[in-house]
Amino acid sequence: MNGAPQPQISVIGPVGQAIEKTRQILFSPFDFGRWFTIGFCAWLAFLGEGGGTGGGGRQGFPNMREARHWIESNLYWLLPVGLTVLAILVAIGVVLLWLRSRGKFMFLYCVAKNKAEVAYPWKEYANEANSLFLFKIALWLVSMVCFIPMVIAWIVVIIPITRAERFFPAAVGIILGLSLITLAVVIVFAIVVKFTEHFVVPAMFIYRIRCVEAWKRFLELLKANVGRFVLFVLFAIVLNIAISTLILVVVLGTCCTACCVLALPYIGTVALLPILVFQRSYSALYLAQYGPQWDVFTEVQKSESASAGNV
């Protein structure tokens, strides 16, 4: 095993292969019906992800005493209304997450098999999608456990600073340290989410296994190739910047007409389908370089897949 030649891994090579895959899937031949079918799967895969930018801030701070008095006076209806709105938002978020989990496998199926189908992958990969859904719920709960104390820490640090008449130099160090901790936690969770979607989902797709089991398999690969995956993350950032720049050029070149089209639910996803297929193909093709056991574009050993799926 140790004497086996190491595979040649490249972050650049899969770019050309992904472009060719995109051409084969969407343009050989060009078919509107095919685009809208695969586009629906992609739309589900990214449903509710994007999001908009936040609103503008307010200058200065309101009278905290008056605000607190108003809240205390209206707490009898603010609390139930707030809890109701929160429950509705959480319920909507859970439903969207469940649909996205189904969509991840449906979209990967269309790309890996070069097929435009909805019903078959929806039913066929239901167990894997539900496992992914539960994993992401657990990940969300863990993130809350990590982020809530940090939010409290930020409040504890910021409020005294805003109330102070002069700025203390020590506050710079506190804010800097808290910022670094927050950034590190955000990066860790972002990487876990991206690796789950880019690499763990393909492992689940190939071996028909649950998310935790797929993560265990991927971790073995990751530990042996940490530097290579760091390079992948850095190159993926460069690719995303290039793609975002391309989209911006198209939007500006069409006098923001393209922006209106891209803002339309589902239609915007169909318009961006070549980019989405390219991105899905790129990470899958990069993973396939580590051996046929990681290749979603080829058939894996049925016996291993079946036995693993029963675990």
Side-chain angles (χ1 to χ4, degrees):
M1 188 80 177
N2 295 332
Q6 293 295 319
Q8 295 295 322
I9 308 299
S10 170
V11 295
I12 299 177
V15 172
Q17 298 172 1
I19 293 174
E20 176 60 21
K21 279 286 181 185
T22 303
R23 186 193 67 79
Q24 293 174 1
I25 294 171
L26 299 179
F27 299 99
S28 296
F30 178 83
D31 185 338
F32 269 118
R34 185 179 180 83
W35 271 59
F36 278 92
T37 302
I38 299 177
F40 178 77
C41 295
W43 179 67
L44 279 185
F46 298 98
L47 187 62
E49 285 187 350
T53 56
R58 299 181 54 158
Q59 294 183 354
F61 291 89
N63 188 313
M64 299 302 295
R65 184 174 299 178
E66 293 180 2
R68 183 173 58 189
H69 176 71
W70 184 86
I71 292 174
E72 291 174 352
S73 301
N74 296 275
L75 195 60
Y76 68 94
W77 67 268
L78 281 177
L79 186 59
V81 168
L83 291 176
T84 301
V85 171
L86 179 62
I88 293 173
L89 292 177
V90 170
I92 292 174
V94 169
V95 172
L96 290 178
L97 179 59
W98 181 76
L99 290 173
R100 280 201 305 271
S101 299
R102 284 290 184 98
K104 297 296 182 187
F105 286 92
M106 295 166 66
F107 186 43
L108 178 59
Y109 171 85
C110 292
V111 173
K113 304 300 182 181
N114 192 7
K115 294 181 178 180
E117 297 181 23
V118 173
Y120 176 79
W122 171 274
K123 295 178 180 179
E124 181 67 17
Y125 298 96
N127 291 334
E128 290 79 9
N130 290 336
S131 178
L132 176 65
F133 166 71
L134 294 176
F135 176 83
K136 288 196 170 184
I137 288 289
L139 185 63
W140 178 78
L141 293 175
V142 172
S143 69
M144 290 299 100
V145 172
C146 294
F147 282 114
I148 289 177
M150 284 192 294
V151 170
I152 296 173
W154 273 107
I155 294 173
V156 170
V157 169
I158 294 299
I159 289 181
I161 292 176
T162 56
R163 289 182 175 178
E165 295 182 356
R166 61 192 183 90
F167 191 77
F168 294 96
V172 177
I174 296 174
I175 293 176
L176 180 60
L178 197 54
S179 299
L180 292 176
I181 293 173
T182 304
L183 180 62
V185 174
V186 169
I187 290 175
V188 168
F189 277 102
I191 289 176
V192 171
V193 170
K194 290 304 178 184
F195 277 7
T196 300
E197 295 181 358
H198 286 305
F199 306 123
V200 175
V201 167
M204 298 172 69
F205 180 88
I206 294 170
Y207 293 106
R208 311 302 302 271
I209 55 179
R210 299 182 65 83
C211 193
V212 173
E213 178 61 28
W215 252 110
K216 291 178 181 178
R217 295 197 182 200
F218 174 67
L219 276 177
E220 295 178 1
L221 180 68
L222 179 61
K223 290 177 182 177
N225 300 275
V226 173
R228 288 171 171 172
F229 280 99
V230 169
L231 184 60
F232 170 86
V233 170
L234 296 176
F235 189 73
I237 293 173
V238 173
L239 271 181
N240 287 336
I241 292 174
I243 291 172
S244 299
T245 303
L246 176 62
I247 295 174
L248 180 61
V249 169
V250 172
V251 168
L252 295 178
T254 58
C255 299
C256 295
T257 302
C259 186
C260 297
V261 174
L262 296 178
L264 295 173
Y266 176 45
I267 300 300
T269 303
V270 174
L272 288 175
L273 196 55
I275 291 176
L276 298 177
V277 171
F278 167 81
Q279 290 177 320
R280 177 66 277 186
S281 299
Y282 172 74
S283 58
L285 288 164
Y286 174 82
L287 184 63
Q289 294 179 108
Y290 290 94
Q293 69 274 23
W294 296 102
D295 191 351
V296 299
F297 300 101
T298 60
E299 293 292 331
V300 297
Q301 299 86 343
K302 295 298 182 182
S303 58
E304 183 177 2
S305 300
S307 60
N310 294 328
V311 176

